[in-house]
Amino acid sequence: MKWKRLVAVLLSCCLLCSGCGQGGSSQEASPDTLSYEEGRVTVLEPVFETADVSNNLLDVDLSHVDQGYFTCLLKEDGAKVNIQITGPDGVTYKYFIETADEVTAFPLTAGDGSYVIMGYENIGGDQYTASFSRIKEVTLDSEFLPFLYPNQYVNFTEDSDAVALAAELSEGAGTDLEALNAIYDYVISHIVYDDEKAATVENGYLPDIDETLATGKGICFDYASLTAAMLRALSIPARLEIGYVNDVKHAWVDVYIESRGWVENAVQFSGDEWSLLDPTLASSNSDEDAVREYMNDSDNYTVLYVR
C-alpha cells in the first residue's frame, strides 16, 4: 500500500462555535449528553475480563460489546491471528494480533446490529486456518463509544505523550471546538509530511502517535491518528476514516459537534457556513481558497473503513 502526498494548502481561519461537548468516565461510559469541561482528560480503557471464546491460541472477551468494542488476548509468542469483523453495514474489517499477553481492542464501528466475528490462525506464509466464529447482537450504550475508546489504529493510553499534550493544549478551552482548534493548529504547525515514509510504508502499517510527536513528521495516517487520539482523550468523539481522495490512498478525521452532529473531515466554521477540514491537506502550502474549495467537495472523498 502506497500512501502518496496530496498537494494541499494551509487553512488559517479560526474554528468558531458554541454548545459543543464531550463525555466519558475512567472505564465505561455512556456519553449521550455531552458537556465540555476545560482541560478535562478522560482516557477510556478497554478491558479483558472473561473468555467467551477460548482455545489453545486465543481468548476472546465479548462482554463489553455494548461499549463498542471487544478484546482478545493472544497466548502464544510467535503466533499470528487475523480477526475479521463484518457488521450490519456489510463491510469486513481485518485486524492482526502478533503480540502475546497483551490485550487488544477491536472497535464495532457500524453501530447497532448483528456482527459476525471470525478468527484465523496463521499456519505459515500467507496461509490461515479458521480458529473461531461467533455472531454477536450489539446494542451500544451510546453511538459515540466506538469513537472514544483507543484501538490499534488510534492507539493511546493515559500515559501517552499525546494525551498529556492534549490536556495542555486544551487548558484554556471553553468548548470542545476551541479544544479542536488548538489541537488542529498544533498538528499542522508541528508535524511535517514524510515523503520518504509515504513511498516506502508497508501494508499493515499502524501509526504510533508518540513517535509522530517525537519525530515531528508522518504520513496522512499518522496525522489523522494523532488528531483523533488527542480528541478522544478529551472525550470528543472522533472517527478515523480510511479511503481515497480521488485515486490517492488517504486518511482523515470526522468530529462530532453537538449542535451539528457528525461533521466530515473535521470542521471549519466561517461564521455562517461549515467547511471540510483535513489535517493533512492543511499542513503543507498556503493557497487557502483552493484547499477550501477542494475540501468542500465531498465527492473527492471515498470512505472504505471507519476506525
Side-chain angles (χ1 to χ4, degrees):
M1 179 190 308
K2 300 295 186 182
W3 296 79
K4 301 178 182 178
R5 184 176 188 176
L6 299 176
V7 177
V9 300
L10 174 64
L11 291 179
S12 58
C13 297
C14 293
L15 299 169
L16 304 173
C17 187
S18 61
C20 307
Q22 67 181 47
S25 73
S26 59
Q27 288 294 328
E28 296 190 349
S30 299
D32 292 311
T33 301
L34 304 178
S35 61
Y36 184 77
E37 295 181 16
E38 180 178 327
R40 178 180 176 184
V41 172
T42 304
V43 176
L44 301 181
E45 180 183 357
V47 296
F48 186 99
E49 291 183 334
T50 182
D52 298 290
V53 176
S54 184
N55 56 40
N56 63 340
L57 184 65
L58 189 72
D59 286 337
V60 183
D61 181 356
L62 300 172
S63 64
H64 299 281
V65 295
D66 60 348
Q67 295 294 296
Y69 73 88
F70 68 92
T71 51
C72 292
L73 190 64
L74 187 64
K75 300 177 181 179
E76 182 180 324
D77 286 324
K80 183 177 181 179
V81 172
N82 171 220
I83 301 295
Q84 296 191 16
I85 307 167
T86 305
D89 58 359
V91 178
T92 297
Y93 289 77
K94 298 180 180 181
Y95 299 89
F96 294 88
I97 315 174
E98 299 183 64
T99 304
D101 301 321
E102 181 178 294
V103 174
T104 304
F106 300 94
L108 303 171
T109 57
D112 294 348
S114 182
Y115 287 77
V116 177
I117 302 170
M118 304 184 71
Y120 298 88
E121 176 185 353
N122 182 265
I123 56 175
D126 295 328
Q127 300 298 310
Y128 287 80
T129 185
S131 175
F132 76 90
S133 176
R134 290 291 187 277
I135 297 176
K136 191 71 175 179
E137 295 298 324
V138 173
T139 302
L140 297 173
D141 281 355
S142 166
E143 66 173 288
F144 304 117
L145 287 169
F147 311 108
L148 290 171
Y149 277 94
N151 59 55
Q152 284 186 320
Y153 287 76
V154 185
N155 195 2
F156 61 99
T157 70
E158 62 181 7
D159 296 323
S160 297
D161 293 339
V163 171
L165 178 60
E168 178 183 340
L169 293 173
S170 65
E171 185 175 355
T175 68
D176 63 350
L177 199 52
E178 289 177 5
L180 167 60
N181 186 45
I183 289 170
Y184 164 75
D185 285 345
Y186 183 92
V187 170
I188 66 169
S189 61
H190 288 79
I191 310 299
V192 297
Y193 197 89
D194 190 337
D195 293 285
E196 181 179 356
K197 184 176 183 178
T200 59
V201 67
E202 296 182 357
N203 190 29
Y205 169 77
L206 294 174
D208 183 327
I209 61 170
D210 282 350
E211 180 180 315
T212 301
L213 280 181
T215 61
K217 58 184 180 180
I219 58 175
C220 55
F221 203 176
D222 299 311
Y223 278 82
S225 179
L226 174 60
T227 302
M230 289 199 287
L231 291 170
R232 291 184 188 187
L234 298 176
S235 298
I236 300 172
R239 296 190 300 224
L240 187 154
E241 301 204 336
I242 299 170
Y244 288 90
V245 176
N246 290 330
D247 60 350
V248 177
K249 189 74 172 180
H250 194 42
W252 59 94
V253 179
D254 291 357
V255 178
Y256 183 84
I257 304 299
E258 187 178 46
S259 61
R260 304 293 298 195
W262 285 103
V263 184
E264 295 180 349
N265 311 344
V267 59
Q268 174 166 305
F269 187 58
S270 66
D272 56 5
E273 63 181 7
W274 293 84
S275 302
L276 302 183
L277 181 69
D278 177 325
T280 308
L281 289 175
S283 66
S284 301
N285 300 311
S286 58
D287 188 346
E288 181 179 314
D289 291 338
V291 77
R292 181 182 292 111
E293 179 179 357
Y294 186 87
M295 291 192 293
N296 275 336
D297 186 356
S298 60
D299 290 339
N300 288 324
Y301 293 78
T302 301
V303 179
L304 296 180
Y305 304 108
V306 181
R307 309 288 190 176

